[in-house]
Amino acid sequence: MDLWAREHYKAEDMDAWIPTPTGWSRFGDLNIGDYVFGPDGEPTRIIAQTPIFHDADCYEIEFDDGLSITVSGEHLWTVERRTRKRIPMAYNKPDPKRIYREQVTLSTREIAAHDHRPDNRLAIPVNEPLNLPEADLRIDPYVLGVWLGDGHSGGTRITASKADAGELAGILRARGIEVQSTSRESAVSMRLGSGKKGKRTSSELANELRRLKIYRHKAIPSVYLRASIEQRHALLQGLMDSDGTCNTRGTATFVNKN
């Protein structure tokens, strides 16, 4: 698929699923002229194809998030590995004298022979976000994120702490959402509407949740996962502002039992 002239192929399982600008596609169904996503998140056109190999030595690669794929021994990977190389001409400067992580390109066969002790594991760089067009979303992605985090699954009510409720209500109103608040001893319960003046519109929002098939069954709808970077970012902000936290080291965490 790439580096054709040097015969460096991406031999991969024909049944592997590949993200494309139009959705997921089976690897074996891709053809010259089709588009897949590159590491930069941009659509990249396939310019060449190899024959199908039936006798390749195959390996299963498993990542730390549980995902696994099958590729040939000649599949090339750009990875980071541990090192202690000296930085040339750095001995008389206040800058660091060594580098402790370096980026190299290895074949699957070389990765299989690597020492994978916990302090010597290889790491693969995370790709840039997929650059997708803006989607037509009936519920504001930030609002959906807040509902997924702190909302009642069978209604349009969300519950937030008193410390967060005022700021959260202000953000929701700024996004055109009608907010009706009821204060309790330790929390604030807010009912969300669609923002139409003079109408009780929380039922309209509930109907949209039903249309997305997430009413009483919380999940992130696929249309939101394939929205633009800005829309996906807003969804993540809503999730983090409800059930997210950030510690003093800058580690962002989202926790939700659903």
Side-chain angles (χ1 to χ4, degrees):
M1 288 172 61
D2 66 354
L3 301 179
W4 175 265
R6 288 159 47 190
E7 297 187 352
H8 288 169
Y9 307 133
K10 296 294 185 186
E12 191 168 341
D13 185 354
M14 297 288 284
D15 291 326
W17 288 98
I18 307 296
T20 76
T22 56
W24 291 92
S25 178
R26 181 176 166 272
F27 188 77
D29 293 335
L30 295 173
N31 294 298
I32 296 173
D34 291 342
Y35 282 82
V36 295
F37 286 104
D40 59 357
E42 298 293 335
T44 302
R45 190 170 67 89
I46 299 173
I47 61 172
Q49 244 174 336
T50 71
I52 298 174
F53 299 103
H54 297 280
D55 57 351
D57 57 333
C58 294
Y59 295 79
E60 184 178 70
I61 296 284
E62 182 174 341
F63 300 89
D64 62 0
D65 63 356
L67 175 70
S68 62
I69 63 172
T70 301
V71 293
S72 82
E74 295 184 0
H75 185 104
L76 297 179
W77 303 81
T78 298
V79 299
E80 287 186 357
R81 67 182 177 188
R82 186 182 178 188
T83 185
R84 284 181 55 83
K85 288 184 178 179
R86 293 182 180 275
I87 300 175
M89 307 303 293
Y91 60 90
N92 59 350
K93 298 179 182 179
D95 301 323
K97 305 297 187 292
R98 295 178 183 270
I99 58 173
Y100 296 96
R101 301 290 293 179
E102 66 174 347
Q103 197 170 83
V104 295
T105 299
L106 301 175
S107 68
T108 308
R109 201 174 292 111
E110 291 172 312
I111 291 176
H114 181 76
D115 177 10
H116 291 281
R117 289 179 298 177
D119 61 346
N120 196 36
R121 289 176 178 169
L122 301 174
I124 188 166
V126 176
N127 291 338
E128 293 297 314
L130 301 186
N131 190 358
L132 293 162
E134 185 173 295
D136 181 17
L137 305 177
R138 301 286 292 273
I139 299 177
D140 181 282
Y142 179 87
V143 176
L144 180 64
V146 171
W147 180 81
L148 288 170
D150 278 343
H152 294 237
S153 64
T156 61
R157 190 170 71 257
I158 65 171
T159 302
S161 67
K162 284 191 173 182
D164 298 332
E167 181 182 7
L168 189 58
I171 297 174
L172 292 170
R173 289 189 179 106
R175 289 179 172 268
I177 299 300
E178 186 180 88
V179 180
Q180 301 171 1
S181 300
T182 303
S183 181
R184 297 188 298 181
E185 184 176 341
S186 60
V188 174
S189 180
M190 296 181 283
R191 184 180 294 276
L192 307 181
S194 64
K196 294 181 181 178
K197 294 182 179 180
K199 286 188 177 182
R200 183 181 177 85
T201 55
S202 60
S203 60
E204 295 178 8
L205 183 57
N207 287 336
E208 290 299 332
L209 295 172
R210 290 188 181 96
R211 188 182 65 83
L212 291 169
K213 299 181 179 180
I214 58 176
Y215 192 80
R216 298 190 186 280
H217 302 283
K218 286 187 177 182
I220 299 177
S222 58
V223 65
Y224 284 78
L225 295 175
R226 301 288 296 190
S228 68
I229 292 175
E230 292 76 15
Q231 289 173 316
R232 302 199 310 271
H233 192 190
L235 173 67
L236 180 59
Q237 287 175 320
L239 292 169
M240 291 300 295
D241 283 354
S242 53
D243 269 355
T245 184
C246 185
N247 65 18
T248 55
R249 297 175 57 190
T251 301
T253 306
F254 176 80
V255 179
N256 188 291
K257 67 178 181 180
N258 288 341

